[in-house]
């Protein structure tokens, strides 16, 4: 990953943390746990845990207090990918150039692996050590992750996406889909990082929501652009869908040039929020690097 030094360090850290949590699961030799490990450790950008670390570090929280939130949100994200890839939804056979979970382990095991990763996310938040994080803030973190993952967030966005397939919708409806389906978990990652900082973090959530909403939507617009890329060398992650209906995308609704302009506008909005925090003597370098990564990534 093309990150700055601090983000590279945190990328390595979350991989170690995730391996540690998975290594402590019972039934490790069963297909269920092997499928969980496969899906979580397959790779990926780790954007959501990196947002947890970047936000928490900006607010002077130590990594040891952020590890649980970072791992929990990545487990939730992994669960969502497993279920998104299933034949009943997106019917994907490849993810990150590797076989999807159901294609490798079978649909029954994949469903269970997704279910188990979702519950593991909450177990991590409930049971892990979080030095200097109050019980009240830990409860707020649990509530936040549940809200972002359910009908008001990720699952709600998924159903809106499914019922809009093979229909032409407005750009406003498309933005609502992605604010829920993709944006909610990105916003949650930033909020989890803020909540570990206590009252000062809570005070910054309105501003941080503006930042995360901007980068969350930019992430999806960039995804849509990458999905229509013709050059396989620039699109290193290519999935193969079989038998799915046409889906609405930003380039389809507003054109490729306008989609690129949309990303630039969203990026500038995210930086304007970070500028406010910088003026209050907070180091926003890691968050700036992540915002930049979102709009320049090629996979």
């Amino acid at each position: 990953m093309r990150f700055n030094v601090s983000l590279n360090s945190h990328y390595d850290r979350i991989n170690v943390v995730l391996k540690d949590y998975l290594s402590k699961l019972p039934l490790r030799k069963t297909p269920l746990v092997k499928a969980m490990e496969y899906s979580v450790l397959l790779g990926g950008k780790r954007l959501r845990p990196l947002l947890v670390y970047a936000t928490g570090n900006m607010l002077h929280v130590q990594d040891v207090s952020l590890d649980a939130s970072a791992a929990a949100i990545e487990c939730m994200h992994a669960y969502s990918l497993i279920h998104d890839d299933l034949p009943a939804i997106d019917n994907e056979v490849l993810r990150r150039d590797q076989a999807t979970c159901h294609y490798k382990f079978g649909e029954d095991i994949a469903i269970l692996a997704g279910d188990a990763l979702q519950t593991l996310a909450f177990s991590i938040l409930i049971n892990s050590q979080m030095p200097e994080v109050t019980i009240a803030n830990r409860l707020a973190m649990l509530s936040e992750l549940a809200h972002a993952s359910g009908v008001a967030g990720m699952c709600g966005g998924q159903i809106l996406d499914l019922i809009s397939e093979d229909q032409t919708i407005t750009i406003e409806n498309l933005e609502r889909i992605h604010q829920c389906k993709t944006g909610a978990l990105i916003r949650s990652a930033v909020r989890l990082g803020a909540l570990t900082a206590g009252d000062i973090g809570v005070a910054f959530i309105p501003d941080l929501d503006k930042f995360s909403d901007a980068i969350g939507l930019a992430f999806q617009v960039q995804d849509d652009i990458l999905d229509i890329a013709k050059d396989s060398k620039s699109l290193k992650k290519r999935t193969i869908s079989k038998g799915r209906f046409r889906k609405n995308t930003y380039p389809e609704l507003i054109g490729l040039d306008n989609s690129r302009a949309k990303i630039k506008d969203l990026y500038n909005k995210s930086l304007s929020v970070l500028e406010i925090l910088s003026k209050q003597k907070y180091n926003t370098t890691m968050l700036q690097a992540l915002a930049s990564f979102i709009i320049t990534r090629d996979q």
Side-chain angles (χ1 to χ4, degrees):
M1 295 294 169
R2 300 192 308 273
F3 296 135
N4 63 25
V5 173
S6 181
L7 285 175
N8 279 328
S9 174
H10 285 89
Y11 182 89
D12 293 337
R13 182 182 182 95
I14 187 56
N15 286 329
V16 172
V17 170
L18 287 166
K19 287 179 183 177
D20 184 57
Y21 279 118
L22 290 166
S23 72
K24 295 174 182 176
L25 292 175
L27 306 177
R28 287 206 61 214
K29 294 184 179 181
T30 64
L32 169 61
V33 177
K34 290 184 182 299
M36 294 169 68
E37 291 174 334
Y38 176 81
S39 299
V40 174
L41 304 178
L42 190 60
K45 295 171 282 291
R46 306 298 191 211
L47 174 64
R48 292 150 194 82
L50 288 176
L51 283 167
V52 173
Y53 286 121
T55 305
N57 284 177
M58 179 189 71
L59 298 169
H60 310 299
V61 179
Q62 298 299 309
D63 288 342
V64 67
S65 292
L66 297 164
D67 287 336
S69 298
I73 204 157
E74 188 66 2
C75 287
M76 188 66 73
H77 177 55
Y79 131 73
S80 74
L81 297 182
I82 293 173
H83 282 199
D84 280 356
D85 288 340
L86 289 169
I89 302 184
D90 286 341
N91 199 21
E92 303 284 0
V93 300
L94 290 178
R95 179 167 292 281
R96 300 165 187 153
D97 295 325
Q98 302 294 323
T100 50
C101 186
H102 73 272
Y103 199 74
K104 184 175 178 68
F105 293 93
E107 192 173 349
D108 50 353
I109 300 300
I111 292 170
L112 288 173
D115 292 344
L117 282 169
Q118 184 191 58
T119 58
L120 178 59
F122 290 112
S123 293
I124 288 171
L125 276 183
I126 292 167
N127 298 318
S128 298
Q129 294 295 316
M130 293 186 198
E132 301 181 6
V133 176
T134 66
I135 294 297
N137 283 333
R138 189 189 289 257
L139 289 173
M141 293 159 74
L142 287 163
S143 176
E144 170 57 38
L145 186 58
H147 182 82
S149 305
V151 175
M154 195 166 58
C155 289
Q158 184 68 69
I159 189 57
L160 291 174
D161 194 21
L162 286 172
I163 63 178
S164 72
E165 286 181 345
D166 214 29
Q167 299 180 27
T168 298
I169 63 174
T170 66
I171 191 66
E172 290 78 16
N173 286 337
L174 184 61
E175 290 198 2
R176 184 187 176 199
I177 289 170
H178 293 309
Q179 284 167 350
C180 294
K181 184 178 176 182
T182 304
L185 212 58
I186 288 176
R187 182 172 62 248
S188 184
V190 173
R191 285 184 174 184
L192 290 177
L195 286 167
T196 59
D199 291 344
I200 192 166
V202 172
F204 280 124
I205 282 178
D207 285 330
L208 290 170
D209 279 352
K210 295 176 185 176
F211 167 79
S212 55
D213 287 347
I215 65 167
L217 193 52
F219 182 92
Q220 186 58 53
V221 180
Q222 182 69 354
D223 248 13
D224 285 354
I225 291 174
L226 292 176
D227 282 344
I228 64 168
K230 301 299 182 182
D231 185 354
S232 62
K233 291 182 180 179
S234 65
L235 183 58
K236 297 175 182 176
K237 182 198 83 172
R238 186 170 302 274
T239 57
I240 302 172
S241 298
K242 300 189 294 185
R244 295 307 302 169
F245 293 107
R246 176 184 64 80
K247 288 197 173 187
N248 292 278
T249 67
Y250 285 90
E252 180 181 300
L253 293 184
I254 64 175
L256 190 56
D257 288 342
N258 285 334
S259 295
R260 288 172 174 152
K262 177 77 172 178
I263 290 176
K264 184 176 181 181
D265 179 60
L266 290 165
Y267 175 64
N268 288 333
K269 284 182 179 178
S270 72
L271 293 186
S272 67
V273 175
L274 296 183
E275 185 177 357
I276 295 172
L277 298 173
S278 294
K279 288 180 179 178
Q280 299 183 56
K281 307 303 181 183
Y282 289 99
N283 185 349
T284 62
T285 302
M286 289 171 64
L287 288 175
Q288 289 179 47
L290 287 169
S292 178
F293 167 74
I294 284 171
I295 70 164
T296 59
R297 64 195 173 90
D298 60 0
Q299 56 182 316

